Structure formats: C-alpha cells, structure tokens
Amino acid sequence: MFDEAQHTRAISASIQNQEVQEQDYNLFEHLIILGSYVLFVFTFPLSIFCALKVVQEYERAIIFRLGRILNGKSQGPGLVFVLPCIDSIIKTDMRTQTFNVPPQEVLTRDSVTVSVDAVVYIRITDPTSSVVQVENAQFSTRVLASTTIRNIFGTKSLHEILSQREEIASLMQEILDQVTDKWGVSVERVEIKDVSLPQQMQRVMAAEAEATREARSKLIAAQGEEKASRCLKEAAETLADTPTAVQLRYLQTLNTISAETDSTIVFPIPIDLTGGLMMSDNQNAYANINADQLAETISQIEKDFSVEPTLKDLSSVYLDGAKKYKYF
C-alpha cells in the first residue's frame, strides 16, 4: 500500500512539473525578475548573505518565485539561491513527527462512555504537496485523527475495544493514510495509549472480576477435596489389608506430635491388646454360672434321693467337685 502511494505521488509530482514548465512568465514578470538580478549584482557582496540559504539534510525547501513554485519541486539539501524581494522560501521537516491526540470521550456500541488517548506518528513524503495542498499538515492530521477515533470506537463494543486494540490501531492507520496521502503525509504508526473507563464502571468490573476469581477458587478447592477423598479411600483400603500398618502410622503420628512443645498426647489402648483379657473374663463368668447351676442341681438330687445312701454319697461327690470347680 505504501509503495502504491509513493508511485501515485511521483506521478502527481511529474504532472505538476510539466504544468509548471508549460507555464511561462509574462513580460512584466520577466522585467521584475531582471530587476531583482540587477539589484543583486549592485548590492554584491552584501546581497549574498540574503540570497544563499542553507537547507539541512533532514529538510527540503520549497521556493516560491512570484507566487509560483520554482522548478515545480522542492530544493535541497545544501545551499539554495534565493533572489531578493521576489523569492520566498518555506522549509519542511522530513523527519518522523509525533503528536498526541487529545482525549476523546466516545460512546461505544453498548452505550458505555470511554476516554481514548492515542499517539500518531507521521512523516512528510512529498514536501511540495504538504505545503500546497494543506495549510498545516500536522494540525490537519491531528484533527482528522480525533474524528477518526470517534468514528471507529463508536462502532465497537467495550469488550472489543479492550481486547482488539492492535486491530483498531491498524484500522485507524489505514484510514488516516488514505486521507493524508494527497497531503504528502504518510501515517507510519498509530498507538492507543489508554482507554479510561468511568469510576462506577471500574468498580463494577472489579466486583465482577473478584466474584469470578472467588468462584474459580471454590471450584479448585472442591476439586482438591475430591482428589484428597479418593487418595484417603485408597490409603484406607491399603491399611485394611495390613493391620500392622495402622499401628506404624499411629506411632508415626505420635512422633510428629511429640516434636511440638506444650502438647497433650492422648494415648488410646488398642483394641487388639484388650481383646484377650475381655475373652478370659467372659470365660470365667460362664464357668461360674455353670458351677452354680451344677451345685443347685446336685442339691436338688440330694434332696430327692436322700433315702438312697448310694445316691447320697454320689451327690456329695458331685457337690464337692462342683465347689472345687467353682473355686478354680
């Protein structure tokens, strides 16, 4: 696109040079030019200080002689000759120039008011057109950039403005370069400095972002709990297969707790150690119950069969045995 613009400028400049060359001064203008040369000769060497101008490397000079561009093109760099009284010189800077676009209050497509700041980089590529076609190239470009910002940002939503700043800047550069091309000005770059939101909108967006982060943190915590429960389930299944591992884990926990100072340790007695004692007590109680029943039965037999000496002696033997068993 830039090459096409350069080609267009070259064609327009050549056409303008041909038109200037075809135009000729009339008799009166020739007499004025001749008088200027005569004045220069008679005032030499003082006139040399007014006739010679220095044009810097980064500058170009457009010389107007009797209101017409001399030779139809710019002069320089170096020394240029200017006739006193009839020539006027205008110098243009060919370096890249930068200017800030004033903050623009723009209403977006979704009815949000934003303030946009931008920076525009321009460079004069055709000094003759920048002087002849426009009064002030930089000021005109600044005003055009302000209106372009309003037009472009008014068609975008707030989300698009915040997420597509580079695309919007490229679009602005293209639009500005199309308009300023006939002014001899090339827009090299457009940067969006800042997009300011109202304070109320900033608070609303901050609250929304905080709520989003809080919801995300809760989701992450829930996922962590789920993974931890699965790991605990696997650990419980592993410990269930090896009961000794439970005791080792218990001892390791006690070791960890004992490393801390001023701590109270509750040491529960394992069920396995008390199981044997509980079983022996149950057996003794059962034996006592059986001995009492046996003694009562023998006493009843003794009462029933007291008439028989043999049975009486036998009952005494059983009774002694029962008492002996009970004592044991």
Side-chain angles (χ1 to χ4, degrees), residues 101 104 106 116 118 120 140-156 168-177 179-180 190 192:
V101 180
Q104 302 295 316
V106 182
V116 183
V120 181
S140 300
T141 306
R142 183 184 294 110
V143 175
L144 180 63
S146 300
T147 57
T148 304
I149 286 178
R150 291 178 175 272
N151 294 334
I152 293 179
F153 280 82
T155 60
K156 303 291 183 180
I168 294 175
S170 300
L171 180 60
M172 284 185 58
Q173 178 183 354
E174 182 179 354
I175 294 175
L176 290 175
D177 196 62
V179 178
T180 60
V190 177
I192 306 299

Side-chain angles (χ1 to χ4, degrees), residues 215-262:
R216 188 181 296 111
S217 64
K218 291 182 178 179
L219 179 61
I220 294 174
Q223 292 176 352
E225 290 292 338
E226 181 183 1
K227 293 180 180 179
S229 62
R230 291 178 181 177
C231 294
L232 290 175
K233 179 182 177 182
E234 295 177 359
E237 293 177 353
T238 304
L239 293 175
D241 295 337
T242 55
T244 308
V246 179
Q247 302 299 329
L248 294 177
R249 179 59 181 167
Y250 175 71
L251 294 176
Q252 183 181 3
T253 305
L254 290 178
N255 186 22
T256 304
I257 296 174
S258 62
E260 300 178 0
T261 58
D262 298 335

Side-chain angles (χ1 to χ4, degrees), residues 5 57 68 78 100 111 130-131 168 179 181 196 199 228 232 319-320:
E57 181 68 29
R68 300 178 182 177
N100 293 323
S111 301
S130 66
V131 174
I168 294 175
V179 178
D181 180 61
S196 302
Q199 294 295 330
L232 290 175
L319 181 60
D320 293 337

Side-chain angles (χ1 to χ4, degrees), residues 105-142:
E105 296 289 338
V106 182
L107 184 65
T108 61
R109 187 177 60 186
D110 49 356
S111 301
V112 178
T113 303
V114 296
S115 179
V116 183
D117 296 339
V119 181
V120 181
Y121 299 84
I122 63 173
R123 184 171 61 88
I124 295 177
T125 55
D126 188 357
T128 304
S129 298
S130 66
V131 174
V132 176
Q133 300 294 335
V134 64
E135 181 181 1
N136 190 331
Q138 186 176 12
F139 176 76
S140 300
T141 306
R142 183 184 294 110

Side-chain angles (χ1 to χ4, degrees), residues 19-39:
E19 292 177 355
V20 172
Q21 290 177 359
E22 291 175 358
Q23 294 177 357
D24 196 6
Y25 297 106
N26 55 32
L27 180 59
F28 182 71
E29 292 173 341
H30 279 292
L31 291 176
I32 294 176
I33 295 173
L34 180 60
S36 179
Y37 276 109
V38 171
L39 179 62

